Amino acid sequence: VELARERYCMALEALERLSHRCPDLYEVAFVGQQAARVRLRDGPQAALYEARQGNFLDRITQEEVSAASLIFLQVVLPQTVWPGLRKFLEFSRPGCRILSYEDLRKIWKGCGMFPFRDIGSPLLACSWAPEGGHRFHCYERLDMEEERQLLARFGVA
């Protein structure tokens, strides 16, 4: 989901180029003012890429978050939206992986049990740091019921 209209339009153009360059592999399944979808021909029904324009905290449903196996959060998030982000990510399912610009531990500090396991912090090349890269944070969603049972077994509250 892209908040800026200009970058959303760039994503639409890229999707159209992809489907024109590889028409035997990809097809544009839907294009609208605030959403576009490209799907893999002859692939699994779920093999698709969808671009949306707007605020991802508003544009993505709870069901979509809970169905995700991978979430990219390549965005700076002001403190005012941290409560909304925590609520959003609470719907992620155990095993879901997250690549985040922000350190989620900082966002969760003082707000209860951190529901993710750190799985790395790679330096990744990006538009604002193509040479040296930027430090991203990778997490995997824990099964919180399993974590509570494990802590209870060892007498930790």
Side-chain angles (χ1 to χ4, degrees), residues 73 77 79 82 85-86 89 98 100-121 136-142 144 147:
L73 294 172
L77 298 161
Q79 274 189 288
W82 289 3
L85 178 66
R86 287 190 297 267
L89 292 175
I98 298 173
S100 177
Y101 178 92
E102 298 275 7
D103 179 352
L104 294 183
R105 284 194 177 279
K106 180 176 74 174
I107 290 172
W108 243 268
K109 188 174 182 178
C111 294
M113 190 174 191
F114 186 62
F116 301 96
R117 178 172 62 94
D118 290 298
I119 57 175
S121 292
F136 280 83
H137 305 276
C138 300
Y139 304 96
E140 183 175 4
R141 178 76 153 112
L142 297 170
M144 296 310 288
E147 292 295 310

Side-chain angles (χ1 to χ4, degrees), residues 5-154:
R5 181 83 182 145
E6 179 182 344
R7 288 197 304 256
Y8 171 72
C9 289
M10 290 169 58
L12 290 182
E13 291 169 5
L15 292 177
E16 289 188 11
R17 280 193 311 274
L18 175 67
S19 66
H20 288 315
R21 287 185 180 157
C22 304
D24 53 323
L25 294 176
Y26 303 99
E27 73 173 325
V28 175
F30 171 79
V31 176
Q33 287 294 324
Q34 294 187 322
R37 195 177 291 158
V38 169
R39 72 176 190 84
L40 182 63
R41 290 185 189 273
D42 302 321
Q45 185 177 2
L48 62 88
Y49 172 82
E50 184 171 335
R52 297 183 196 172
Q53 201 259 317
N55 178 340
F56 75 91
L57 295 174
D58 298 329
R59 299 275 302 170
I60 298 175
T61 67
Q62 293 175 7
E63 292 79 18
E64 290 172 313
V65 175
S66 65
S69 56
L70 181 62
I71 298 173
F72 287 90
L73 294 172
Q74 188 179 335
V75 62
V76 174
L77 298 161
Q79 274 189 288
T80 55
V81 303
W82 289 3
L85 178 66
R86 287 190 297 267
K87 183 178 177 187
F88 176 88
L89 292 175
E90 283 293 329
F91 294 109
S92 63
R93 64 184 169 98
C96 177
R97 295 193 171 192
I98 298 173
L99 173 75
S100 177
Y101 178 92
E102 298 275 7
D103 179 352
L104 294 183
R105 284 194 177 279
K106 180 176 74 174
I107 290 172
W108 243 268
K109 188 174 182 178
C111 294
M113 190 174 191
F114 186 62
F116 301 96
R117 178 172 62 94
D118 290 298
I119 57 175
S121 292
L123 277 173
L124 301 175
C126 47
S127 60
W128 62 91
E131 297 299 319
H134 176 82
R135 174 85 47 211
F136 280 83
H137 305 276
C138 300
Y139 304 96
E140 183 175 4
R141 178 76 153 112
L142 297 170
D143 182 330
M144 296 310 288
E145 186 55 36
E146 190 176 288
E147 292 295 310
R148 284 185 191 89
Q149 290 174 7
L150 184 63
L151 290 173
R153 199 172 329 148
F154 290 105

